């Protein structure tokens, strides 16, 4: 080893010190340093508890579940505990065999690597999502022709074992037949499961500070709306409940029949014609031609659409539009992200204009889908394609229509007395809204 002297950079000195310590260790140059990897996965960067729970719901939907329940549990009772000590996801899907539930707790442990038919591709979601706010995952599974078996992943236990013996490989314990405890048995029966098969994921050792909402009631309300937004297109086929309350679709375009807040006032969003087209690309490595469909929905909202609902001082519609201000991107009907287009500035008045782009997983590379399915980084060529397919023109036309409608309403109001409706709206929304007109960037 090279000697360190007073002229050696401090960082280089630290590196040389470390290399000297590990030079005789067999595990030193493994691809993954186990404890660092496990701790690092806790900070993968889920935007919220809802985005982490989405990963578990993805798995349940792909397992053919008709019912998915998200439950909270505290040993002392939810009424006495400030926050859930355990978060539990139960489904009535096809379940997994014992060796599979053990395998699926490995990062990369999946039977569908690279699959494009559903949500998952890499086998990262379950583990990464769960450890983002809890240090222990327990899985209970029963296929229709099998018995209940369970195993677990405990971050603290794995890191302790690694520090104790770095030469020993870390592994998930073998799944063993088990009997559900009374709490889980009761929760599972509430699914109304005729097949008597399914999965239960229990997340324990929850770090309260990592929960987006700390208390039961606020977390429940938060999850109900966020899950309603993410899975709005899937809720006609699967019933999801959070602490006994059914998730209702929440459509940020406010044009989906039966979705929350679409008909709560006398003012409705105006749907524009949908547009579909197919994009082809060559698969990397094989050169095979792959095709993927893109479906686009449009809507615009009149000036008074985001007024507070009757008997309320707040506007859920405005809150939803604020969170979905930009082009909404869905993958296989599941919302991933919201991003502004590069062609124009999305000022606050453009909250009255909504666009949803839903693409097939075959186009993941073109939309730059992240491993955690929380975001997109749309390729320039795909932005160009969307523009070519009329997205920019439609946004411009909808905003023009909205401005004409706004002017017409204000002219009518101006013929009377008192403040204009638009002035009242601005007072209610201020200082959140700074009205800007979209400015084309090219």
């Amino acid at each position: 080893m090279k000697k360190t002297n007073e002229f050696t950079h401090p960082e280089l000195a630290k590196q040389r010190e470390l290399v000297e310590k590990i030079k005789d260790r067999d595990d030193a140059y493994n691809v993954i340093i186990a404890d660092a990897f496990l701790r690092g996965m806790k900070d993968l960067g889920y935007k919220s508890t809802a985005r982490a729970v989405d990963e578990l719901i993805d798995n349940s939907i792909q397992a053919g579940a008709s019912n998915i329940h998200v439950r909270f549990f505290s040993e002392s009772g939810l009424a006495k505990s400030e926050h859930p000590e355990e978060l539990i996801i139960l489904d009535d899907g096809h379940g997994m065999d014992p060796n599979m539930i053990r395998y699926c707790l490995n990062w990369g442990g999946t039977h569908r690597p690279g699959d494009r038919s559903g949500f998952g591709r890499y086998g990262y979601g379950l583990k990464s999502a769960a450890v983002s706010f809890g240090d222990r995952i327990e899985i209970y599974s029963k296929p229709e022709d099998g018995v209940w078996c369970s195993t677990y992943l405990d971050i603290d236990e794995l890191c302790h074992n690694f520090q104790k013996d770095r030469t020993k490989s870390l592994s998930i314990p073998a799944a063993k037949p088990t009997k559900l405890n009374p709490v889980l048995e009761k929760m599972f029966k509430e699914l109304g499961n005729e097949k008597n098969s399914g999965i239960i994921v229990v997340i324990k050792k929850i770090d309260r500070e990592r929960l987006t909402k700390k208390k039961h009631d606020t977390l429940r309300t938060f999850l109900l709306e966020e899950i309603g937004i993410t899975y709005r297109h899937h809720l006609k086929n699967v019933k999801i409940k959070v602490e006994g309350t059914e998730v209702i679709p929440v459509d940020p375009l406010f044009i989906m029949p039966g979705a929350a807040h679409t008909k709560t006032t006398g003012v409705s969003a105006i749907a524009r014609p949908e547009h579909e087209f197919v994009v082809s690309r060559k698969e990397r490595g094989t050169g095979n031609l792959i095709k993927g469909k893109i479906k686009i929905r449009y809507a615009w909202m009149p000036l008074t659409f985001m007024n507070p609902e009757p008997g309320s001082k707040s506007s859920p519609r405005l809150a939803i539009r604020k969170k979905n201000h930009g082009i909404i991107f869905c993958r296989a009907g599941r919302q991933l992200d919201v991003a502004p287009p590069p062609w124009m500035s999305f000022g606050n008045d453009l909250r009255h204009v909504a666009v949803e782009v839903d693409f097939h997983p075959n186009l993941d590379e073109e939309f730059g889908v992240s491993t955690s399915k929380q975001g997109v980084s749309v390729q320039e060529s795909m932005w160009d394609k969307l523009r070519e397919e009329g997205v920019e023109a439609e946004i411009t036309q909808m905003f023009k229509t909205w401005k004409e409608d706004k002017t017409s309403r204000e002219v009518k109001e101006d013929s009377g007395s008192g403040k204009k409706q638009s002035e009242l709206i601005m007072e209610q929304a201020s200082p959140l809204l700074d009205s800007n007109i979209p400015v084309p960037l090219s």
Side-chain angles (χ1 to χ4, degrees):
M1 171 182 157
K2 292 184 178 180
K3 292 184 178 181
T4 299
N5 55 50
E6 61 181 310
F7 301 108
T8 304
H9 191 283
E11 285 300 309
L12 183 57
K14 290 179 182 178
Q15 291 174 14
R16 290 175 176 173
E17 182 181 352
L18 173 63
V19 169
E20 181 65 21
K21 287 181 179 178
I22 67 175
K23 65 180 182 180
D24 296 324
R25 274 177 28 199
D26 293 337
D27 71 313
Y29 301 104
N30 288 349
V31 174
I32 292 173
I33 307 301
D35 57 346
F37 172 79
L38 291 169
R39 296 297 181 191
M41 293 310 292
K42 290 179 63 63
D43 297 316
L44 186 62
Y46 280 92
K47 295 177 182 177
S48 71
T49 308
R51 296 290 76 80
V53 171
D54 287 347
E55 294 273 24
L56 307 178
I57 293 174
D58 284 352
N59 291 338
S60 295
I61 292 176
Q62 285 206 255
S66 300
N67 296 279
I68 304 167
H69 289 185
V70 180
R71 301 297 304 268
F72 308 147
F73 176 76
S74 293
E75 198 68 47
S76 60
L78 292 179
K80 296 181 180 179
S81 177
E82 289 188 358
H83 71 282
E85 295 171 2
E86 300 177 11
L87 193 147
I88 305 166
I89 294 88
L90 311 94
D91 72 52
D92 59 359
H94 54 58
M96 290 188 283
D97 291 330
N99 285 336
M100 189 63 208
I101 62 172
R102 183 187 190 189
Y103 183 64
C104 83
L105 281 178
N106 292 312
W107 270 268
T110 179
H111 62 290
R112 45 177 182 260
D115 180 64
R116 307 260 183 170
S117 63
F119 300 132
R121 286 180 58 193
Y122 300 108
Y124 274 49
L126 165 63
K127 293 72 64 175
S128 302
V131 303
S132 70
F133 60 90
D135 280 348
R136 183 180 174 92
I137 316 165
E138 296 177 358
I139 295 191
Y140 301 79
S141 176
K142 181 186 180 301
E144 194 169 4
D145 59 353
V147 298
W148 282 107
C149 290
S150 69
T151 187
Y152 67 93
L153 182 157
D154 190 300
I155 296 291
D156 295 328
E157 181 180 300
L158 288 171
C159 289
H160 173 76
N161 290 342
F162 178 75
Q163 292 295 340
K164 187 176 179 182
D165 185 355
R166 290 174 174 266
T167 65
K168 188 176 180 179
S169 63
L170 301 179
S171 61
I172 302 300
K176 298 179 180 179
T178 189
K179 179 177 173 58
L180 297 182
N181 66 46
V183 173
L184 293 182
E185 187 174 23
K186 181 176 183 294
M187 288 181 177
F188 190 74
K189 285 181 178 178
E190 290 172 356
L191 286 170
N193 190 343
E194 296 179 359
K195 296 178 294 185
N196 196 26
S197 64
I199 296 280
I200 303 174
V201 178
V202 183
I203 303 171
K204 295 185 174 182
K205 297 165 73 172
I206 289 177
D207 182 348
R208 180 177 182 271
E209 295 308 312
R210 288 177 175 267
L211 294 175
T212 306
K213 302 293 181 181
K214 316 302 181 190
K215 297 185 177 180
H216 317 112
D217 54 346
T218 54
L219 181 59
R220 171 183 163 277
T221 301
F222 175 70
L223 290 177
L224 282 168
E225 179 170 284
E226 291 297 308
I227 293 171
I229 291 174
T230 301
Y231 295 100
R232 58 185 176 275
H233 293 295
H234 292 272
L235 290 172
K236 59 181 178 291
N237 299 317
V238 59
K239 183 182 290 186
I240 303 175
K241 291 185 177 182
V242 179
E243 274 298 283
T245 300
E246 185 172 349
V247 175
I248 303 299
V250 180
D251 181 16
L253 281 70
F254 299 98
I255 55 176
M256 180 183 289
H261 310 299
T262 56
K263 300 293 182 183
T264 49
T265 72
V267 185
S268 299
I270 294 89
R272 295 283 298 156
E274 296 180 357
H275 177 49
E276 292 185 5
F277 58 98
V278 174
V279 172
S280 300
R281 71 174 182 86
K282 286 188 177 181
E283 185 178 32
R284 293 172 187 170
T286 67
N288 294 334
L289 193 65
I290 295 178
K291 295 182 179 181
K293 181 187 288 187
I294 296 175
K295 180 179 179 180
I296 306 178
R297 296 195 303 149
Y298 300 100
W300 68 274
M301 298 126 205
L303 179 65
T304 58
F305 182 80
M306 288 177 240
N307 277 13
E309 295 179 358
S312 174
K313 294 182 179 180
S314 61
S315 171
R317 288 173 167 178
L318 176 59
I320 292 166
R321 287 302 305 145
K322 282 175 61 183
K323 288 189 293 186
N324 293 275
H325 184 43
I327 294 183
I328 301 164
F329 289 95
C330 296
R331 176 182 182 267
R334 176 212 196 269
Q335 183 162 324
L336 292 185
D337 201 3
V338 182
W343 335 294
M344 62 174 61
S345 171
F346 253 53
N348 286 320
D349 277 350
L350 271 178
R351 288 190 180 129
H352 292 265
V353 171
V355 182
E356 175 194 277
V357 175
D358 188 5
F359 61 91
H360 190 278
N362 278 347
L363 303 176
D364 280 355
E365 285 77 6
E366 282 65 28
F367 285 93
V369 178
S370 64
T371 304
S372 61
K373 301 191 291 290
Q374 294 187 96
V376 295
S377 180
V378 184
Q379 299 296 307
E380 183 179 359
S381 58
M382 181 52 67
W383 280 123
D384 291 343
K385 182 64 177 175
L386 292 173
R387 193 177 196 179
E388 178 186 313
E389 291 291 333
V391 174
E392 180 188 27
E394 183 62 35
I395 292 173
T396 302
Q397 181 57 50
M398 286 192 295
F399 189 68
K400 180 182 178 183
T401 303
W402 177 81
K403 285 194 295 183
E404 291 171 350
D405 177 72
K406 174 175 180 264
T407 300
S408 175
R409 289 171 184 268
E410 289 182 341
V411 168
K412 290 178 181 178
E413 291 158 5
D414 204 30
S415 61
S417 60
K419 292 184 179 179
K420 296 179 182 179
Q421 182 67 29
S422 59
E423 293 173 334
L424 293 172
I425 293 171
M426 290 300 292
E427 287 182 3
Q428 293 165 349
S430 181
L432 296 176
L433 295 176
D434 291 317
S435 182
N436 295 316
I437 294 175
V439 180
L441 299 182
S442 61

